[in-house]
Amino acid sequence: MVPFYDMHNHSNDPKKLNTISWKPEKEGEDFTLHAIRDIVPGEQILISYNRCHGCWFDTKYKDCETRSFGGTDHLFNQFGFVEDYPQFWILPQFEDNGKLFDEVLFCLDRHDDDDDDDEDQLVVRRFGENRSHEPDEIPVEENLIWLREHVMRLQELEGTLKNDGELKKSMPSYEWETSWQYHTALVTAMSTAIDAAKEAAEDMFGSQD
C-alpha cells in the first residue's frame, strides 16, 4: 500500500482524468503524481491504474513511461471493478490444446457525437493498440467464429447460473453483482467487436453480398 496514492480512484476518460502518475521500477524509488490541468476545489483527484494501455488517448504515447498497461480484464482481476469507458480489451484466443492462437485487441468507447440518441451507443475506436498497424489487427473470420461461440457460451452461462440461488448465497453480494457486471461488459464488448470487424472488413474489401 502507498499512502495517499492508493486513495485515488481510476479513470481513463480524458475529460475526467486530471493527473499523471509514474510507478517506480525498483523498491525504494519514488512514486510521482502531478496534475495535467487545473483542479478546482472539491474536484475528485483521479489517476489511471493502467496508463499506456492500448487505447490511451494520446496516440503518440506522450509521457507513457510506466509499467501500467493492462486492459479492462486486468483491472477487474487485479482490483475487482469494471472500469468505465474507454475500455481496452485483450481477448486471448486459445486452441483446444491450450496453445495461444491469437489475441483480439480493441478499444471500446462511447459514441462522442452531440446527438443525444447516440450517447449510449458504443463504438470500437480501433482494433489493436495505438502503436500497431490497424489493418493487421482487424479480426478475421476465424476470430469472429471464436468470438461468436464465446458470446453464446456466456449467454448460456448467464441463463444457468444467474438464477442459482444457492450459488448466489455462497458469495458476498458485492462480488456477485460485480461478477455479473463484468459478464455484461464482456459480452457487450465482444458483440460490439464482431459488428465493428464486419463493418471494417466491408470498408476495406467491399461487401461480399
Side-chain angles (χ1 to χ4, degrees):
M1 296 292 291
V2 182
F4 181 72
Y5 185 89
D6 285 334
M7 295 172 61
H8 301 119
N9 287 324
H10 161 83
S11 179
N12 280 321
D13 185 340
K15 296 179 182 178
K16 298 178 181 179
L17 186 64
N18 49 24
T19 68
I20 288 292
S21 58
W22 286 267
K23 291 182 178 181
E25 295 185 3
K26 298 179 181 179
E27 183 177 351
E29 293 181 345
D30 292 336
F31 279 78
T32 303
L33 176 69
H34 68 80
I36 56 176
R37 60 172 173 80
D38 291 340
I39 301 175
V40 301
E43 181 181 357
Q44 181 180 188
I45 294 177
L46 295 170
I47 66 175
S48 173
Y49 292 6
N50 62 340
R51 189 168 67 85
C52 294
H53 61 96
C55 55
W56 178 250
F57 54 82
D58 184 343
T59 57
K60 295 181 180 179
Y61 279 55
K62 182 180 179 182
D63 294 331
C64 269
E65 299 174 0
T66 175
R67 293 175 291 111
S68 301
F69 50 78
T72 300
D73 59 318
H74 170 77
L75 292 182
F76 179 74
N77 292 332
Q78 186 75 18
F79 301 106
F81 70 90
V82 180
E83 68 172 334
D84 198 3
Y85 301 102
Q87 297 173 344
F88 182 60
W89 289 92
I90 306 171
L91 304 179
Q93 181 177 345
F94 292 97
E95 296 178 342
D96 292 339
N97 61 8
K99 183 179 180 181
L100 180 65
F101 170 73
D102 199 359
E103 283 186 328
V104 179
L105 290 75
F106 58 94
C107 178
L108 186 67
D109 203 355
R110 289 191 182 93
H111 202 287
D112 58 5
D113 283 357
D114 294 332
D115 189 341
D116 291 340
D117 294 336
D118 290 333
E119 62 181 5
D120 294 325
Q121 181 180 348
L122 298 177
V123 295
V124 171
R125 292 290 179 206
R126 65 163 291 136
F127 287 101
E129 61 173 22
N130 285 341
R131 287 173 286 193
S132 64
H133 182 54
E134 185 173 15
D136 295 336
E137 302 285 355
I138 297 172
V140 297
E141 187 59 29
E142 288 180 285
N143 302 125
L144 296 179
I145 291 172
W146 176 80
L147 286 169
R148 293 188 191 103
E149 289 176 348
H150 281 280
V151 167
M152 292 180 60
R153 179 184 64 83
L154 290 168
Q155 290 172 336
E156 292 173 359
L157 187 70
E158 180 179 9
T160 302
L161 296 183
K162 205 167 188 178
N163 296 321
D164 188 331
E166 291 302 315
L167 178 61
K168 183 177 182 179
K169 289 179 183 178
S170 71
M171 297 174 63
S173 59
Y174 174 79
E175 291 183 7
W176 176 265
E177 293 168 2
T178 306
S179 296
W180 288 114
Q181 183 184 1
Y182 180 77
H183 177 279
T184 299
L186 179 58
V187 171
T188 299
M190 296 172 82
S191 301
T192 306
I194 291 170
D195 292 339
K198 291 166 59 178
E199 292 179 7
E202 290 177 1
D203 289 342
M204 289 180 60
F205 307 113
S207 174
Q208 301 299 312
D209 296 337

